[in-house]
Amino acid sequence: MSDDEQPANRLRKELPDEVPPSRSPSADGPAGGLPGAARGERNGVTGRQRLLKGLWPPRLTRAQLIVALLLFGLGFGLAVQVASNSDSDSALRGARQEDLVRILDELDDRTQRLEDEKQGLEKQRDELENSSDQAEEARKQTLEKERQLGILAGTVAAQGPGITVTIEDTKGTVEADMLLDAVQELRAAGAEAIQVNGVRVVAGTYLADAGNSVTVDGNKINAPYRFQVIGKPQDLEPALNIPGGVVQTLEKEQATVTVERSSKIVVDALRAAERPDYARSSSQ
């Protein structure tokens, strides 16, 4: 057998000539044989520039925008709450011991008033249930309730122990919301009847600024503002003098506040009874 007929030589003839293997593109990076960074630098763009280009301008989706707004609102609300609590805490922290004792006494008095009211209602219920003449007992309670509601509604005059509050405002800095704070504080302390400068204050009373004056239910009043209040003087006066309360707020506005206790306060300013436009008794 000749050399050309040897199996190895015959196989070599059938195969094409060997070609030097080309360098694999994946060996050193993307096509072209250069790493990404090197190719980027060759094109004039560095990796840092490509990163900044990917981050800015931001591409926000609608969902991401909604979440961002919700988080902002939550953070703002928490900040306001913390600031409010800090102001309240600082006011109490700077209060004198006698002021703190007075605040605690006022809270105890409010709790006692609520308990007394509860016991009074329970007593009325028991009397109505146990009375031999329930119709007469119901009539008596109805008349008493009518009298109480008349005082609250301002349709009847009232007298009793209480205080007189006089607010001198020579600078013209007292505004309607400050007087409203005084009314609300007096109500919270158990005031049963209030009138200011001859105008009866009831549940629906509103106050508004009118230049250098104030209007109460549309009636213009001028300084000095004189509140006549029926209630327990021992509760009403401390309620106005608590740290950060009505008196301190008015004094910061350079107003002068005087509170006088009395065993007899007359509240005789009356309001006409008004029929509600829409509300009707459910018993009809």
Side-chain angles (χ1 to χ4, degrees):
M1 182 178 297
S2 62
D3 293 340
D4 293 338
E5 295 178 354
Q6 293 294 328
N9 294 333
R10 188 168 61 252
L11 180 61
R12 182 176 297 277
K13 281 184 176 183
E14 294 175 356
L15 293 174
D17 294 338
E18 293 183 0
V19 180
S22 61
R23 191 169 186 178
S24 174
S26 61
D28 294 319
L34 291 175
R39 191 174 70 256
E41 293 174 357
R42 185 186 64 184
N43 295 333
V45 180
T46 65
R48 178 177 298 177
Q49 291 173 333
R50 293 205 317 277
L51 178 61
L52 293 176
K53 186 177 180 180
L55 295 176
W56 188 264
R59 300 175 178 84
L60 293 178
T61 65
R62 183 177 181 181
Q64 291 173 332
L65 182 59
I66 293 175
V67 171
L69 291 175
L70 291 175
L71 291 176
F72 174 78
L74 178 61
F76 181 76
L78 290 175
V80 172
Q81 182 66 30
V82 170
S84 176
N85 292 339
S86 298
D87 293 340
S88 300
D89 294 342
S90 61
L92 292 176
R93 192 179 298 112
R96 298 173 300 175
Q97 182 176 0
E98 52 267 30
D99 293 332
L100 295 175
V101 171
R102 187 165 54 195
I103 293 174
L104 291 175
D105 291 341
E106 182 185 355
L107 293 175
D108 292 339
D109 291 339
R110 291 184 181 181
T111 302
Q112 186 60 46
R113 287 197 303 272
L114 292 175
E115 185 64 28
D116 294 341
E117 183 177 355
K118 175 185 174 184
Q119 293 178 0
L121 293 174
E122 291 176 346
K123 182 180 179 181
Q124 291 180 7
R125 181 197 62 190
D126 295 339
E127 290 176 350
L128 186 59
E129 291 177 349
N130 300 327
S131 175
S132 58
D133 189 351
Q134 293 187 353
E136 179 61 21
E137 183 64 29
R139 189 185 67 82
K140 289 170 55 179
Q141 291 190 12
T142 300
L143 291 176
E144 178 63 21
K145 196 67 176 179
E146 181 181 1
R147 185 188 66 83
Q148 295 175 358
L149 293 176
I151 294 175
L152 296 176
T155 57
V156 298
Q159 67 178 25
I163 62 173
T164 298
V165 183
T166 304
I167 301 174
E168 297 282 353
D169 181 28
T170 58
K171 302 293 184 179
T173 56
V174 175
E175 298 179 347
D177 60 338
M178 301 176 188
L179 300 182
L180 181 59
D181 288 341
V183 171
Q184 292 176 334
E185 195 65 49
L186 290 168
R187 283 174 172 168
E192 297 177 351
I194 305 174
Q195 74 179 35
V196 51
N197 288 31
V199 180
R200 190 71 169 264
V201 176
V202 296
T205 292
Y206 65 91
L207 290 86
D209 293 315
N212 293 329
S213 303
V214 174
T215 61
V216 182
D217 290 335
N219 300 289
K220 187 175 181 180
I221 61 174
N222 298 309
Y225 304 108
R226 189 166 181 260
F227 289 77
Q228 293 170 274
V229 188
I230 295 177
K232 187 177 181 181
Q234 295 84 347
D235 295 338
L236 298 175
E237 183 178 3
L240 299 176
N241 288 297
I242 61 174
V246 173
V247 172
Q248 285 192 2
T249 300
L250 291 170
E251 289 177 347
K252 287 181 181 179
E253 299 296 331
Q254 300 182 354
T256 303
V257 184
T258 57
V259 181
E260 298 178 358
R261 299 187 184 188
S262 176
S263 59
K264 183 179 179 180
I265 297 291
V266 177
V267 175
D268 52 4
L270 302 181
R271 298 174 64 98
E274 298 179 359
R275 180 180 177 85
D277 294 330
Y278 305 103
R280 296 294 182 269
S281 173
S282 58
S283 61
Q284 293 180 354

